[in-house]
Amino acid sequence: MDQFISTLFNTNHEAPSLEVLLVLAVIAVVVPAIHRYMLAHRQANPDRKKQNSQNKKK
């Protein structure tokens, strides 16, 4: 756990390792792509919110 905290908060003020850089790069590529996909999916099905709210009222 101590190593995790040290890595997370960079308590030794070291340059990030290659693994950390790769994980950050993957996150930087994957998260926006997922967000765009979800946004496009929601825009393609605009009545889905109405259906969900009507189902909750029943």
Side-chain angles (χ1 to χ4, degrees), residues 25-42:
V26 167
I27 290 172
V29 171
V30 170
V31 170
I34 291 173
H35 183 262
R36 280 192 303 269
Y37 170 78
M38 291 176 64
L39 186 61
H41 184 69
R42 286 181 186 160

mmCIF file of all heavy atoms in Angstrom, residues 25-42:
data_model
loop_
_atom_site.group_PDB
_atom_site.id
_atom_site.type_symbol
_atom_site.label_atom_id
_atom_site.label_comp_id
_atom_site.label_asym_id
_atom_site.label_seq_id
_atom_site.Cartn_x
_atom_site.Cartn_y
_atom_site.Cartn_z
ATOM 1 N N ALA A 25 -1.028 7.348 -21.308
ATOM 2 C CA ALA A 25 -1.252 7.490 -22.750
ATOM 3 C C ALA A 25 -2.483 6.700 -23.187
ATOM 4 O O ALA A 25 -3.295 7.195 -23.984
ATOM 5 C CB ALA A 25 -0.016 7.031 -23.521
ATOM 6 N N VAL A 26 -2.640 5.500 -22.666
ATOM 7 C CA VAL A 26 -3.812 4.684 -23.006
ATOM 8 C C VAL A 26 -5.082 5.369 -22.510
ATOM 9 O O VAL A 26 -6.084 5.453 -23.234
ATOM 10 C CB VAL A 26 -3.679 3.263 -22.419
ATOM 11 C CG1 VAL A 26 -4.990 2.509 -22.486
ATOM 12 C CG2 VAL A 26 -2.585 2.502 -23.152
ATOM 13 N N ILE A 27 -5.041 5.891 -21.307
ATOM 14 C CA ILE A 27 -6.205 6.597 -20.764
ATOM 15 C C ILE A 27 -6.534 7.818 -21.627
ATOM 16 O O ILE A 27 -7.697 8.092 -21.907
ATOM 17 C CB ILE A 27 -5.960 6.993 -19.294
ATOM 18 C CG1 ILE A 27 -5.968 5.743 -18.410
ATOM 19 C CG2 ILE A 27 -6.998 7.999 -18.812
ATOM 20 C CD1 ILE A 27 -5.545 6.000 -16.981
ATOM 21 N N ALA A 28 -5.511 8.548 -22.055
ATOM 22 C CA ALA A 28 -5.717 9.746 -22.859
ATOM 23 C C ALA A 28 -6.334 9.422 -24.220
ATOM 24 O O ALA A 28 -7.014 10.255 -24.807
ATOM 25 C CB ALA A 28 -4.393 10.478 -23.050
ATOM 26 N N VAL A 29 -6.125 8.229 -24.721
ATOM 27 C CA VAL A 29 -6.681 7.833 -26.014
ATOM 28 C C VAL A 29 -8.045 7.172 -25.849
ATOM 29 O O VAL A 29 -8.985 7.458 -26.599
ATOM 30 C CB VAL A 29 -5.707 6.885 -26.753
ATOM 31 C CG1 VAL A 29 -6.344 6.285 -27.985
ATOM 32 C CG2 VAL A 29 -4.430 7.627 -27.110
ATOM 33 N N VAL A 30 -8.185 6.317 -24.864
ATOM 34 C CA VAL A 30 -9.390 5.501 -24.714
ATOM 35 C C VAL A 30 -10.569 6.300 -24.149
ATOM 36 O O VAL A 30 -11.691 6.191 -24.662
ATOM 37 C CB VAL A 30 -9.096 4.265 -23.836
ATOM 38 C CG1 VAL A 30 -10.368 3.532 -23.462
ATOM 39 C CG2 VAL A 30 -8.140 3.344 -24.563
ATOM 40 N N VAL A 31 -10.356 7.094 -23.133
ATOM 41 C CA VAL A 31 -11.464 7.791 -22.476
ATOM 42 C C VAL A 31 -12.185 8.749 -23.428
ATOM 43 O O VAL A 31 -13.416 8.717 -23.501
ATOM 44 C CB VAL A 31 -10.987 8.493 -21.185
ATOM 45 C CG1 VAL A 31 -12.049 9.420 -20.628
ATOM 46 C CG2 VAL A 31 -10.583 7.453 -20.149
ATOM 47 N N PRO A 32 -11.488 9.599 -24.176
ATOM 48 C CA PRO A 32 -12.226 10.454 -25.121
ATOM 49 C C PRO A 32 -12.964 9.664 -26.200
ATOM 50 O O PRO A 32 -14.069 10.050 -26.612
ATOM 51 C CB PRO A 32 -11.148 11.335 -25.750
ATOM 52 C CG PRO A 32 -10.041 11.332 -24.764
ATOM 53 C CD PRO A 32 -10.083 9.992 -24.120
ATOM 54 N N ALA A 33 -12.391 8.567 -26.650
ATOM 55 C CA ALA A 33 -13.062 7.743 -27.667
ATOM 56 C C ALA A 33 -14.349 7.145 -27.103
ATOM 57 O O ALA A 33 -15.385 7.132 -27.782
ATOM 58 C CB ALA A 33 -12.128 6.648 -28.151
ATOM 59 N N ILE A 34 -14.313 6.668 -25.884
ATOM 60 C CA ILE A 34 -15.513 6.116 -25.245
ATOM 61 C C ILE A 34 -16.550 7.209 -25.050
ATOM 62 O O ILE A 34 -17.743 6.995 -25.277
ATOM 63 C CB ILE A 34 -15.151 5.439 -23.907
ATOM 64 C CG1 ILE A 34 -14.345 4.171 -24.169
ATOM 65 C CG2 ILE A 34 -16.400 5.112 -23.100
ATOM 66 C CD1 ILE A 34 -13.796 3.530 -22.917
ATOM 67 N N HIS A 35 -16.099 8.376 -24.645
ATOM 68 C CA HIS A 35 -17.021 9.490 -24.446
ATOM 69 C C HIS A 35 -17.714 9.871 -25.752
ATOM 70 O O HIS A 35 -18.929 10.089 -25.778
ATOM 71 C CB HIS A 35 -16.263 10.689 -23.871
ATOM 72 C CG HIS A 35 -17.157 11.841 -23.567
ATOM 73 N ND1 HIS A 35 -17.312 12.895 -24.433
ATOM 74 C CD2 HIS A 35 -17.949 12.095 -22.508
ATOM 75 C CE1 HIS A 35 -18.171 13.749 -23.910
ATOM 76 N NE2 HIS A 35 -18.571 13.294 -22.739
ATOM 77 N N ARG A 36 -16.959 9.962 -26.843
ATOM 78 C CA ARG A 36 -17.552 10.285 -28.145
ATOM 79 C C ARG A 36 -18.549 9.216 -28.577
ATOM 80 O O ARG A 36 -19.617 9.522 -29.106
ATOM 81 C CB ARG A 36 -16.465 10.442 -29.204
ATOM 82 C CG ARG A 36 -15.783 11.783 -29.176
ATOM 83 C CD ARG A 36 -14.928 12.004 -30.404
ATOM 84 N NE ARG A 36 -13.912 10.975 -30.586
ATOM 85 C CZ ARG A 36 -12.680 11.046 -30.096
ATOM 86 N NH1 ARG A 36 -12.305 12.092 -29.401
ATOM 87 N NH2 ARG A 36 -11.826 10.070 -30.302
ATOM 88 N N TYR A 37 -18.215 7.943 -28.344
ATOM 89 C CA TYR A 37 -19.115 6.846 -28.699
ATOM 90 C C TYR A 37 -20.416 6.943 -27.912
ATOM 91 O O TYR A 37 -21.501 6.816 -28.480
ATOM 92 C CB TYR A 37 -18.430 5.503 -28.435
ATOM 93 C CG TYR A 37 -19.369 4.337 -28.540
ATOM 94 C CD1 TYR A 37 -19.740 3.842 -29.783
ATOM 95 C CD2 TYR A 37 -19.902 3.734 -27.408
ATOM 96 C CE1 TYR A 37 -20.613 2.777 -29.902
ATOM 97 C CE2 TYR A 37 -20.769 2.679 -27.503
ATOM 98 C CZ TYR A 37 -21.126 2.198 -28.752
ATOM 99 O OH TYR A 37 -21.995 1.154 -28.861
ATOM 100 N N MET A 38 -20.309 7.177 -26.619
ATOM 101 C CA MET A 38 -21.510 7.261 -25.788
ATOM 102 C C MET A 38 -22.359 8.471 -26.167
ATOM 103 O O MET A 38 -23.587 8.393 -26.195
ATOM 104 C CB MET A 38 -21.122 7.305 -24.308
ATOM 105 C CG MET A 38 -20.543 5.997 -23.811
ATOM 106 S SD MET A 38 -19.970 6.075 -22.116
ATOM 107 C CE MET A 38 -21.494 6.372 -21.268
ATOM 108 N N LEU A 39 -21.712 9.584 -26.468
ATOM 109 C CA LEU A 39 -22.441 10.778 -26.873
ATOM 110 C C LEU A 39 -23.171 10.540 -28.192
ATOM 111 O O LEU A 39 -24.342 10.898 -28.334
ATOM 112 C CB LEU A 39 -21.485 11.956 -26.995
ATOM 113 C CG LEU A 39 -22.104 13.314 -27.266
ATOM 114 C CD1 LEU A 39 -23.034 13.721 -26.138
ATOM 115 C CD2 LEU A 39 -21.012 14.341 -27.450
ATOM 116 N N ALA A 40 -22.514 9.930 -29.144
ATOM 117 C CA ALA A 40 -23.145 9.629 -30.430
ATOM 118 C C ALA A 40 -24.294 8.653 -30.252
ATOM 119 O O ALA A 40 -25.338 8.779 -30.895
ATOM 120 C CB ALA A 40 -22.115 9.075 -31.400
ATOM 121 N N HIS A 41 -24.120 7.682 -29.373
ATOM 122 C CA HIS A 41 -25.170 6.694 -29.117
ATOM 123 C C HIS A 41 -26.386 7.361 -28.485
ATOM 124 O O HIS A 41 -27.527 7.049 -28.827
ATOM 125 C CB HIS A 41 -24.628 5.591 -28.214
ATOM 126 C CG HIS A 41 -25.589 4.486 -27.972
ATOM 127 N ND1 HIS A 41 -25.966 3.612 -28.966
ATOM 128 C CD2 HIS A 41 -26.264 4.109 -26.865
ATOM 129 C CE1 HIS A 41 -26.833 2.744 -28.468
ATOM 130 N NE2 HIS A 41 -27.029 3.038 -27.189
ATOM 131 N N ARG A 42 -26.161 8.292 -27.576
ATOM 132 C CA ARG A 42 -27.273 9.000 -26.939
ATOM 133 C C ARG A 42 -27.993 9.900 -27.932
ATOM 134 O O ARG A 42 -29.211 10.038 -27.881
ATOM 135 C CB ARG A 42 -26.769 9.831 -25.766
ATOM 136 C CG ARG A 42 -26.418 9.000 -24.574
ATOM 137 C CD ARG A 42 -25.957 9.859 -23.433
ATOM 138 N NE ARG A 42 -25.501 9.016 -22.342
ATOM 139 C CZ ARG A 42 -24.711 9.434 -21.381
ATOM 140 N NH1 ARG A 42 -24.291 10.680 -21.361
ATOM 141 N NH2 ARG A 42 -24.342 8.615 -20.422
#
